[in-house]
Amino acid sequence: MQFDLTDLALFRDVVEAGSITWGAERAHLALAAASTRIRNMEVSLGATLLDRGRHGVTPTAAGRALLAHARTILNQADRLREDLGIYAGGAAGHVRILSNTNALTEFLPELLGGFLTAHPLVTVDVEERLSDEIVAAIADGTGDIGIVAGTVETHDLETFPFRQDRFVLVAAPTHPLGGRETVTFAEVLDHDLVGLDRAAALQRFLSDRAARAGRRLRLRVQLRSFDAICRLVEGNVGIGIVPETTARRAARTMNIHCVALTDSWAVRDLKVCTRGRAHLPRFAKLLADHLLAEPPYAGAMEQPPDGL
């Protein structure tokens, strides 16, 4: 077997993307070149690495074994690059973060800005996922650092308190729910909604909550940002569910009302998870330290959860 780091990184990207096409894009390779590399790996190994279907690819037993070794080798290569970068005129590194929607939109941008400014040769890959998917991905080495909801089971991962926020309803003042102080999610389901793109982790979560109640979300339009949701809510297109930090910020410039959701899942204690902070690659550990530098829940909510 004569696999190089490009082969291993490509195979990892293909498996994580569930598609040779998307894996090739992540690896910055042409599709034909990526397909040839995968086939050559299978010929060299003498075994099929991927089951190919109409809806993508999944690793075979041999592919799963290779994936585990590939992640280990690639992580070691990253550490080698970081350690030797010091002697080459500057320290360079790469960190992979997986985050739920709330942390990604409300807390990470400012924190990452400060970190990347202080470490100009470091790159950070940020991916949005559901919290339970993040836990599995951190456990199997897909990412270095995860930010998840406090209610999710993290098993053997090391966790640290990060921030607290809550989801609230935003509505136009003239909407039937606009004058309420509190509302249940069940009541929200009786009205038209403005939501995020269907691929967004939060939108998938809300759809699941509705399905558990035997209902469906009445989505009129789906957008790519919380700010855009608030703007359409102001126009009374529908109501929306957004983080309280977003709602308070938007309410300064938009004519919208914030209504507290009384469901227990609406309050979000966020936590950082890793396979072991002390064993992270150098720059991943520095980033974890940076994320956790402020006291937990600093500046999270201006008032306690029982009132807006």
Side-chain angles (χ1 to χ4, degrees):
M1 294 180 290
Q2 297 182 356
F3 303 157
D4 60 24
L5 293 179
T6 301
D7 289 331
L8 297 177
L10 169 64
F11 186 74
R12 177 198 63 193
D13 290 341
V14 167
V15 173
E16 291 177 2
S19 160
I20 295 178
T21 300
W22 290 111
E25 183 172 314
R26 288 175 62 170
H28 306 292
L29 291 172
L31 176 58
S35 297
T36 298
R37 280 182 175 269
I38 296 292
R39 283 196 300 270
N40 288 343
M41 292 173 71
E42 291 178 321
V43 170
S44 176
L45 181 63
T48 301
L49 296 172
L50 297 171
D51 285 327
R52 297 159 172 84
R54 289 187 302 172
H55 301 294
V57 298
T58 55
T60 62
R64 290 192 294 273
L66 175 61
L67 179 64
H69 288 290
R71 285 173 171 157
T72 299
I73 293 169
L74 291 168
N75 286 338
Q76 289 296 324
D78 285 342
R79 292 196 179 197
L80 174 64
R81 191 177 298 112
E82 291 176 4
D83 291 344
L84 294 183
I86 298 172
Y87 304 101
H94 181 74
V95 185
R96 304 180 78 188
I97 295 182
L98 304 175
S99 173
N100 66 6
T101 305
N102 197 3
L104 179 61
T105 57
E106 291 303 310
F107 302 114
L108 274 181
E110 183 177 353
L111 289 168
L112 286 178
F115 178 81
L116 292 171
T117 299
H119 303 281
L121 297 181
V122 175
T123 59
V124 177
D125 180 21
V126 183
E127 184 176 347
E128 179 187 348
R129 293 198 191 182
L130 290 171
S131 290
D132 55 353
E133 295 175 354
I134 294 171
V135 169
I138 296 299
D140 67 21
T142 299
D144 298 308
I145 300 169
I147 304 179
V148 299
T151 53
V152 71
E153 176 59 54
T154 53
H155 306 292
D156 295 329
L157 296 181
E158 189 175 24
T159 63
F160 307 90
F162 178 56
R163 295 289 189 276
Q164 185 182 77
D165 201 359
R166 67 177 291 144
F167 291 123
V168 299
L169 180 77
V170 286
T174 55
H175 190 276
L177 299 181
R180 298 273 295 272
E181 292 187 3
T182 63
V183 67
T184 66
F185 185 59
E187 293 176 286
V188 170
L189 295 175
D190 294 328
H191 299 270
D192 291 338
L193 285 158
V194 180
L196 290 173
D197 181 88
R198 62 174 55 88
L202 172 59
Q203 200 59 44
R204 293 159 59 196
F205 172 80
L206 294 176
S207 295
D208 178 68
R209 301 302 306 190
R212 292 186 187 186
R215 307 281 297 278
R216 295 183 63 182
L217 299 177
R218 288 170 45 177
L219 289 164
R220 290 198 67 193
V221 61
Q222 292 178 264
L223 306 166
R224 299 185 66 88
S225 72
F226 290 128
D227 182 69
I229 288 176
C230 291
R231 291 186 181 282
L232 265 69
V233 166
E234 183 183 29
N236 211 11
V237 172
I239 54 179
I241 293 176
V242 302
E244 183 186 15
T245 46
T246 299
R248 289 189 177 283
R249 185 171 59 247
R252 297 188 187 111
T253 58
M254 302 180 201
N255 188 22
I256 58 174
H257 285 183
C258 306
V259 184
L261 281 167
T262 59
D263 301 77
S264 60
W265 52 260
V267 178
R268 313 294 280 180
D269 288 321
L270 302 174
K271 56 188 177 184
V272 169
C273 62
T274 73
R275 292 185 301 281
R277 189 171 167 190
H279 305 294
L280 286 172
R282 180 183 175 212
F283 285 105
K285 185 178 185 304
L286 287 174
L287 179 52
D289 292 344
H290 181 75
L291 296 177
L292 298 170
E294 292 186 14
Y297 314 144
M301 295 195 296
E302 297 175 16
Q303 297 182 18
D306 59 349
L308 282 175

